[in-house]
């Protein structure tokens, strides 16, 4: 089957937020689809710095050593690869993106947050990375989450239902078709 759409998890998660009343306007969604540059927030910068510190061991003094130690204890051993490209064709959609790292049997994404609620990643589109990586022996998608006071883990296996994510992909395709004239990012829709 031909590929007509190219979607990545951040975009699909933004659409999911829009669908489920996540305080996001249609214009903000269109801006996300069209990759309109937005300034990096302090929280985003802190998350990026934390991930870099965790994996590369740089600027360790910026973070609580106990939190770094807790998260590092949960990382797979060995770490097989970092910033792993994933793709999976779902009907006429190429789903693609990068997962932070993989071990022998699990993929891990590092998350930082201001406040954590259990089950936050239950319907995250990054869970689809599992299906993109199963040919590499990956059986578990794990989120290591910190609010900088504690560390939380959410794990999802290949048997975890993805019906909601797949339905949202279909809804997103319909949204893209309905708003085609407003979509300027050439990567989202295959050339007409």
């Amino acid at each position: 089957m031909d590929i007509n759409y190219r979607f990545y998890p951040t975009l699909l998660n933004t659409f999911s937020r829009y669908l489920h009343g996540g305080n996001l306007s249609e214009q903000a969604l269109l801006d996300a689809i069209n990759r309109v540059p937005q300034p990096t927030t302090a929280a985003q910068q802190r998350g990026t710095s934390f991930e870099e510190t965790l994996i590369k061991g740089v600027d360790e003094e910026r973070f609580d050593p106990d939190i770094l130690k807790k998260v590092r204890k949960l990382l797979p051993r060995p770490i097989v690869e970092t910033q792993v490209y994933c793709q999976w064709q779902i009907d006429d959609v190429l789903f693609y993106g990068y997962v932070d790292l993989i071990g022998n049997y699990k993929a891990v994404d590092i998350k930082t947050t201001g406040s954590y609620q259990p089950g936050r990643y239950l319907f995250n589109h990054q869970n689809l990375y599992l299906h993109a990586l199963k040919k590499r022996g990956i059986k578990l998608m794990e989120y290591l989450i910190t609010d900088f006071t504690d560390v939380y883990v959410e794990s999802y296996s290949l048997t975890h239902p993805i019906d909601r994510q797949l339905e949202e992909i279909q809804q997103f395709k319909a949204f893209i078709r309905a708003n085609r004239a407003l979509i300027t990012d050439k990567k989202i829709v295959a050339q007409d």
Side-chain angles (χ1 to χ4, degrees), residues 90-125:
I90 305 160
D91 298 325
D92 63 343
V93 174
L94 179 67
F95 170 82
Y96 72 97
Y98 289 87
V99 69
D100 289 339
L101 55 99
I102 59 171
N104 287 327
Y105 70 93
K106 71 179 174 181
V108 174
D109 211 68
I110 299 154
K111 301 289 189 188
T112 59
T113 184
S115 73
Y116 173 70
Q117 306 83 32
R120 183 173 182 169
Y121 299 97
L122 189 64
F123 299 112
N124 192 298
H125 286 271

Side-chain angles (χ1 to χ4, degrees), residues 169-185:
I169 286 172
Q170 295 308 314
Q171 291 172 302
F172 192 49
K173 283 169 46 175
F175 180 88
I176 295 291
R177 283 191 302 272
N179 292 280
R180 183 64 187 99
L182 303 172
I183 309 300
T184 58
D185 184 344

Side-chain angles (χ1 to χ4, degrees), residues 10 17 34 62 64 67 76 81 86 88 94 99 114 119 121 133 152 159 168 173 177 187:
T10 305
R17 224 173 83 220
N34 291 322
R62 294 185 63 198
D64 181 334
I67 295 294
E81 198 176 331
C86 309
W88 183 37
L94 179 67
V99 69
Y121 299 97
L133 291 167
Y152 313 91
T159 58
E168 287 178 356
K173 283 169 46 175
R177 283 191 302 272
K187 291 181 182 174

Side-chain angles (χ1 to χ4, degrees), residues 28-156:
L29 175 60
L30 287 166
D31 287 351
I33 292 167
N34 291 322
R35 299 181 195 236
V36 173
Q38 301 291 327
T40 303
T41 66
Q44 289 169 328
Q45 187 54 55
R46 188 175 190 202
T48 302
S49 298
F50 181 76
E51 189 179 314
E52 201 167 279
T53 296
L54 197 62
I55 294 170
K56 297 179 182 171
V58 297
D59 299 325
E60 300 251 346
E61 68 287 347
R62 294 185 63 198
F63 300 99
D64 181 334
D66 291 335
I67 295 294
L68 286 169
K69 190 175 178 179
K70 273 185 176 180
V71 176
R72 282 184 176 136
K73 246 183 159 163
L74 295 166
L75 293 174
R77 295 284 175 233
I79 293 174
V80 173
E81 198 176 331
T82 60
Q83 290 303 305
V84 181
Y85 179 75
C86 309
Q87 69 177 40
W88 183 37
Q89 188 168 342
I90 305 160
D91 298 325
D92 63 343
V93 174
L94 179 67
F95 170 82
Y96 72 97
Y98 289 87
V99 69
D100 289 339
L101 55 99
I102 59 171
N104 287 327
Y105 70 93
K106 71 179 174 181
V108 174
D109 211 68
I110 299 154
K111 301 289 189 188
T112 59
T113 184
S115 73
Y116 173 70
Q117 306 83 32
R120 183 173 182 169
Y121 299 97
L122 189 64
F123 299 112
N124 192 298
H125 286 271
Q126 283 180 290
N127 292 343
L128 300 178
Y129 284 157
L130 262 175
H131 300 273
L133 291 167
K134 70 180 170 187
K135 62 186 169 284
R136 291 187 67 171
I138 302 300
K139 296 174 172 62
L140 198 64
M141 179 69 204
E142 200 162 83
Y143 298 92
L144 301 181
I145 310 133
T146 186
D147 56 9
F148 300 103
T149 61
D150 206 352
V151 177
Y152 313 91
V153 178
E154 288 187 29
S155 298
Y156 300 98

